Amino acid sequence: GQQVMQIPQYQHVQEGEDFTTYCNSSTTLSNIQWYKQRPGGHPVFLIQLVKSGEVKKQKRLTFQFGEAKKNSSLHITATQTTDVGTYFCAAGSEGTGTASKLTFGTGTRLQVTL
Amino acid sequence: NAGVTQTPKFQVLKTGQSMTLQCAQDMNHEYMSWYRQDPGMGLRLIHYSVGAGITDQGEVPNGYNVSRSTTEDFPLRLLSAAPSQTSVYFCATKSLAGVYEQYFGPGTRLTVT
């Protein structure tokens, strides 16, 4: 089945530093979603990217979808302690339609200290 | 609106016991799914359903059964629990129109001894 690699597994930053997590697939994706899971919580949807080369911003978060639709990144500018959690990408396969199953990456756990 | 609810929150089973994890939603979403989350392995899809009466297998279906008799409910059955099924289980739903954002329930933490 489809595999989605996510790196790094873990990152520890000082508050105010930037953070980036990367998601890579060997196959072309129809879309990619990003989720955030706070410690002890459940995943919460952040955004969906569909178009090749798409860039979307949400305040300090910037999401990119690669030109070949095989990779994506999430960049957080000037991290805050409220950014702590695990960030997952979730990939939908090309050609599987609106009910496409999502394959989740293994996640990047972000720790932010003062 | 309660959104997606799961019961129980915690459960301890002995090897060989059976149980049902409950998932209910009040958002009228067609699509419902079950994931398990294990350390370092992300979320893996167990079973999913695109509507009442329709179910299909995900990535790790062995040892689990599902049925979908109504739009609102999607129970997950463990027929004979094994220690390898110790995990956190999440139910998720989404509409089949629009952005396809998945809404997750709060999860059930299951320990099999």
Side-chain angles (χ1 to χ4, degrees):
Chain A
Q2 176 174 279
Q3 287 193 325
V4 178
M5 304 300 295
Q6 197 172 344
I7 56 171
Q9 278 194 323
Y10 171 76
Q11 187 147 8
H12 183 181
V13 300
Q14 300 284 327
E15 190 177 47
E17 292 181 335
D18 291 356
F19 160 77
T20 306
T21 173
Y22 301 90
C23 191
N24 297 293
S25 169
S26 57
T27 59
T28 304
L29 305 173
S30 64
N31 63 78
I32 195 148
Q33 297 182 354
W34 286 91
Y35 291 79
K36 176 184 178 181
Q37 184 178 25
R38 293 184 188 274
H42 58 276
V44 174
F45 175 82
L46 293 176
I47 209 159
Q48 175 170 281
L49 305 172
V50 177
K51 298 176 185 174
S52 166
E54 190 169 14
V55 178
K56 287 189 177 180
K57 294 192 176 187
Q58 288 180 350
K59 297 183 181 177
R60 294 178 294 104
L61 277 60
T62 302
F63 304 84
Q64 291 189 319
F65 201 6
E67 293 290 340
K69 299 181 74 173
K70 289 185 175 182
N71 56 73
S72 181
S73 65
L74 157 59
H75 179 82
I76 302 178
T77 304
T79 55
Q80 300 174 358
T81 54
T82 53
D83 296 324
V84 164
T86 301
Y87 293 85
F88 292 97
C89 62
S93 297
E94 189 89 295
T96 54
T98 59
S100 65
K101 296 178 290 187
L102 290 179
T103 299
F104 277 79
T106 49
T108 296
R109 186 160 70 93
L110 173 63
Q111 180 63 37
V112 181
T113 52
L114 295 171
Chain B
N1 270 0
V4 183
T5 59
Q6 289 184 240
T7 55
K9 283 189 167 53
F10 301 93
Q11 183 72 48
V12 179
L13 290 178
K14 292 190 186 322
T15 298
Q17 286 184 317
S18 63
M19 80 158 294
T20 300
L21 307 186
Q22 301 291 346
C23 175
Q25 54 111 352
D26 61 2
M27 297 181 286
N28 203 31
H29 285 169
E30 304 92 336
Y31 183 97
M32 296 185 75
S33 55
W34 278 101
Y35 292 87
R36 60 177 289 172
Q37 184 173 33
D38 302 294
M41 301 196 71
L43 292 144
R44 292 183 292 168
L45 183 65
I46 304 171
H47 285 287
Y48 67 100
S49 167
V50 297
I54 306 168
T55 63
D56 206 346
Q57 295 181 349
E59 187 184 349
V60 287
N62 293 342
Y64 308 94
N65 275 2
V66 291
S67 59
R68 183 99 178 267
S69 55
T70 67
T71 300
E72 295 77 21
D73 300 295
F74 191 43
L76 177 72
R77 295 183 190 83
L78 282 69
L79 302 174
S80 178
S84 61
Q85 294 178 304
T86 293
S87 188
V88 180
Y89 292 85
F90 288 101
C91 177
T93 77
K94 66 179 177 181
S95 168
L96 293 183
V99 175
Y100 323 137
E101 166 184 355
Q102 288 206 100
Y103 294 82
F104 283 81
T108 294
R109 186 174 293 274
L110 176 67
T111 301
V112 183
T113 61

